[in-house]
Amino acid sequence: MREFVVPESASGFRIDLFLTQSCDGYSRSQIRDAVQNEGAEVDGRIIRPSYKVKAGQTVRFRVPPPASDDTVPENIPLDILYEDDGLVVINKPAGMVVHPARGNWTGTLTSALAFRFQSLSDVGGPTRPGIVHRLDRDTSGVIVVAKNNAVHLNLAAQWHDRLVQKEYTAITFGRLDRDRDWIHASIGRHPYQRDKQAIREGHATSKSASTFYEVVERHGRVTRVDVRPKTGRTHQIRVHLAHIGCPILCDRLYGGHSELSRSQIRRLAGTEVATPGVKPTAEGQEILLSRQALHAKALTFTNPQTGKEMTLTAPLPPDLQAVLDLLSSDSSL
């Protein structure tokens, strides 16, 4: 961490511009990405890249490590669901990036794998050893990793040919008028937000996408669904559920919230009504969810070495279970 006091001459500058001028050897885009990933504080408060500094404020900044083509091993615990001499299946926690990328060079799954295993496939290149498929940073659950190239290529072919069955649990906000249905809508790049995807028919970046969902339980306006995507487009489940008016709970990009307290979840479900001038209790203000409520709960594929079909499942993580427990307790009142 580096610390700066904002001089009078920099008052009114955006934080990313101020830090670019203060830190030699980094581009403004590198600085902006680091700030976007909660790398900067002003007077003890985490801020965004557009924040404008004032004279006299204290800025603390976590300087990003230099980009590297090599995966740096890190001793990060892994929840291993299955392992043999050809592959390993991990229950990835929410918040962990799968492989190094701009703004996320450390703390990745590949760094943890490089520390734990002596040999992994190199089909995906030096920054993606063993990685056959990926999950979004804030999506938890089952992910399979190849230990050698033959297994990697076999698994990749199963994904390409859509032979792998993927099942997710999502908690959504909105009313689904059907208990189960298919969503067929092409997905492409968002027209002006580079970190988002969008429903786009006939665009050069668009690809066909199909998702099946089935309602598991309803709690007012909040619904738990099982989701089985047929295709594997970027952000597919998140985009499709938002498209039908039921975005995933706490999905910052497609649902509008970055965190939700107990009281906020109850209000979304319709079990609590806000009273003007009355603040929620301390219990009600407790943050219950701070990431998208999406969990990859099961993968079914053929083991390349044994030829046998196998299904690996990951239990619902505590944060999502806590949301469902809250909603269930309200429903029983």
Side-chain angles (χ1 to χ4, degrees):
M1 296 289 287
R2 296 182 63 181
E3 187 170 302
F4 309 91
V5 176
V6 180
E8 196 71 45
S9 59
S11 186
F13 282 18
R14 280 174 53 118
I15 184 68
D16 55 351
L17 176 58
F18 169 70
L19 288 171
T20 301
Q21 294 181 349
S22 303
C23 300
D24 293 333
Y26 296 95
S27 68
R28 187 169 178 179
S29 63
Q30 288 175 304
I31 297 290
R32 184 167 53 246
D33 286 340
V35 176
Q36 184 70 38
N37 284 278
E38 302 184 350
E41 298 177 2
V42 174
D43 292 339
R45 182 166 63 93
I46 294 174
I47 44 77
R48 313 313 295 170
S50 59
Y51 179 87
K52 294 183 179 180
V53 298
K54 299 176 183 177
Q57 288 181 320
T58 298
V59 177
R60 299 186 75 240
F61 179 57
R62 186 182 299 108
V63 179
S68 172
D69 287 337
D70 297 321
T71 297
V72 179
E74 294 180 71
N75 187 7
I76 303 171
L78 291 172
D79 181 5
I80 297 178
L81 301 172
Y82 172 83
E83 182 182 1
D84 60 27
D85 59 359
L87 58 87
V88 59
V89 181
I90 307 292
N91 180 14
K92 186 188 85 66
M96 175 181 275
V97 176
V98 171
H99 53 76
R102 187 173 57 183
N104 295 284
W105 297 109
T106 62
T108 65
L109 176 61
T110 54
S111 291
L113 291 167
F115 183 90
R116 178 69 180 265
F117 301 101
Q118 293 184 341
S119 178
L120 294 168
S121 77
D122 59 8
V123 172
T127 62
R128 305 186 185 194
I131 301 302
V132 180
H133 64 118
R134 62 182 295 274
L135 296 174
D136 293 339
R137 178 181 65 182
D138 288 331
T139 298
S140 54
V142 184
I143 185 167
V144 62
V145 176
K147 290 184 175 181
N148 60 61
N149 289 355
V151 167
H152 191 135
L153 292 170
N154 184 292
L155 289 171
Q158 291 185 53
W159 252 269
H160 178 269
D161 296 337
R162 299 177 184 173
L163 300 176
V164 178
Q165 298 176 43
K166 300 163 284 185
E167 188 167 355
Y168 293 74
T169 289
I171 307 174
T172 70
F173 169 65
R175 296 191 183 278
L176 290 165
D177 58 356
R178 299 183 182 183
D179 290 338
R180 61 189 61 82
D181 199 7
W182 279 95
I183 306 169
H184 301 289
S186 296
I187 294 175
R189 294 176 186 166
H190 195 280
Y192 54 87
Q193 291 181 268
R194 67 182 181 88
D195 57 345
K196 292 182 68 173
Q197 301 292 301
I199 302 299
R200 304 191 76 179
E201 297 289 346
H203 190 265
T205 64
S206 297
K207 293 183 179 180
S208 62
S210 298
T211 304
F212 178 80
Y213 73 85
E214 184 170 18
V215 172
V216 177
E217 52 187 328
R218 289 183 171 91
H219 301 281
R221 293 172 297 188
V222 174
T223 306
R224 175 182 179 177
V225 295
D226 280 346
V227 186
R228 293 187 286 277
K230 182 178 180 181
T231 49
R233 311 307 179 201
T234 301
H235 297 179
Q236 176 174 318
I237 296 173
R238 299 163 65 190
V239 174
H240 271 178
L241 289 174
H243 174 62
I244 62 172
C246 291
I248 294 172
L249 216 60
C250 214
D251 188 334
R252 180 180 59 83
L253 282 179
Y254 303 103
H257 291 92
S258 59
E259 60 182 24
L260 288 169
S261 67
R262 287 177 175 270
S263 288
Q264 288 173 315
I265 292 171
R266 284 176 167 143
R267 289 172 192 170
L268 288 174
T271 59
E272 179 177 301
V273 178
T275 303
V278 178
K279 291 185 177 181
T281 64
E283 181 187 24
Q285 290 178 318
E286 177 192 356
I287 299 301
L288 211 59
L289 189 62
S290 56
R291 56 97 171 195
Q292 63 216 23
L294 183 62
H295 176 66
K297 76 172 188 177
L299 271 180
T300 300
F301 59 93
T302 299
N303 188 311
Q305 298 191 137
T306 66
K308 294 182 179 179
E309 184 176 87
M310 56 193 305
T311 298
L312 279 302
T313 61
L316 202 65
D319 57 347
L320 301 193
Q321 189 60 59
V323 172
L324 294 174
D325 289 346
L326 174 68
L327 295 168
S328 295
S329 65
D330 288 344
S331 298
S332 64
L333 295 178

